[in-house]
Amino acid sequence: MEFVVVIPARFASTRLPGKPLADICGKPMVQHVYEKACLSGASQVVIATDHQKVFDAVSLFTSDILMTREDHHSGTERLAEVVDLLDLDSNTIVVNVQGDEPLLAPENVSQVAALLNDSTAPMATLSVAIEERDDVFNPNAVKVVSDIDKNALYFSRANIPFDRSAMMDDKNRLDLAPFQRHVGIYAYRAGFIKQYTQLSVSPLELLESLEQLRVLYHGYKIKIEQAQITPHSGVDTPEDLAKVIAHIKSTNA
């Protein structure tokens, strides 16, 4: 099995400007992500950015860097441009890894690629068991339900599946076993990435603000299974960055 990893690295960030270049123990954040992705067994790991500062910084540690347009409305649109720039075959498996996950588990990257490779679906992704009751009701923790064949049925910011008995009687009795949180790592077949950008926007994705619902809305399947390794949180804020730095220092001590 061969697959390509693409790491989008946008410079703009409301809560953490210049996020890809944030210093983590002497390296920019995006370099940490790149090095972890290289351990996944990918045939190529490419960083895609829209800013010259990121391009220049990345060029110091790899030549696999692409400059993409600034006017993309979504990460998938940027991914489609990368597919064109690399002239990838339509059957090539492409794994999209977020550029703000310096504690990425390489095993999860290879896992999602293998999940797609072993299916006929155009997309695959991962989930983890929810262990905290608050996450069930947290709209920032996206929940997912799937069928017996590991096909995603629906993604939602709401608490799905809805435990009627517990929710109408005593929420403290809520059994967490049925709840899965979506992990934002995707594997695509390259041809489907470009096809996705031609699909009409669905009302569900607008309501939930979840891009992947466009795929389900138009009748395509998304394979999903539990991640082999529970991923660490990504970096969205200065506080998140401080936690990652502390974690890396403690593990390298």
Side-chain angles (χ1 to χ4, degrees), residues 4 11 18 26 34 49 57 104 134 156 160 165-166 175 181 203 215 232 250:
V4 174
F11 186 80
Y34 173 83
T49 188
L104 174 75
D134 288 347
S156 182
I160 59 169
S165 177
D175 181 8
R181 177 174 63 81
V215 178
H232 290 271
S250 67

Side-chain angles (χ1 to χ4, degrees), residues 41-54:
S43 58
Q44 186 177 14
V45 179
V46 179
I47 297 172
T49 188
D50 60 354
H51 200 282
Q52 191 63 46
K53 283 187 178 180
V54 178

Side-chain angles (χ1 to χ4, degrees), residues 13 18 43 59 61 69 85-86 95 107 127 135 155 171 178 181 190 197 208 216 219 227 236 244-245 252:
S13 173
S43 58
S59 296
F61 62 84
R69 302 199 318 267
L85 290 171
L86 295 177
V95 179
E107 295 86 351
S127 68
D135 283 342
F155 298 84
K171 291 183 181 180
R181 177 174 63 81
T197 62
E208 298 256 18
L216 300 183
D236 288 321
V244 167
I245 292 172
N252 291 338

Side-chain angles (χ1 to χ4, degrees), residues 121-140:
M123 275 182 66
T125 190
L126 302 176
S127 68
V128 291
I130 288 182
E131 299 178 347
E132 300 292 336
R133 183 170 280 102
D134 288 347
D135 283 342
V136 174
F137 305 99
N138 179 1
N140 293 317

Side-chain angles (χ1 to χ4, degrees), residues 178-218:
F179 294 95
Q180 291 285 313
R181 177 174 63 81
H182 178 226
V183 176
I185 181 172
Y186 293 102
Y188 306 79
R189 299 190 191 280
F192 183 72
I193 296 173
K194 293 192 286 186
Q195 187 177 350
Y196 172 94
T197 62
Q198 303 303 314
L199 297 175
S200 61
V201 176
S202 76
L204 295 175
E205 71 178 285
L206 294 177
L207 283 171
E208 298 256 18
S209 190
L210 296 173
E211 272 190 271
Q212 64 269 36
L213 290 177
R214 186 184 310 185
V215 178
L216 300 183
Y217 182 82
H218 285 279

Side-chain angles (χ1 to χ4, degrees), residues 7 20 22-39 47 61 97-104 106 241 244-245 248 252:
I7 304 171
D23 184 85
I24 298 178
C25 301
K27 296 178 184 178
M29 175 158 43
V30 68
Q31 184 173 352
H32 285 271
V33 181
Y34 173 83
E35 291 174 352
K36 292 292 180 63
C38 286
L39 298 175
I47 297 172
F61 62 84
V97 170
Q98 297 304 312
D100 58 3
E101 296 189 10
L103 301 179
L104 174 75
L241 181 62
V244 167
I245 292 172
I248 291 178
N252 291 338

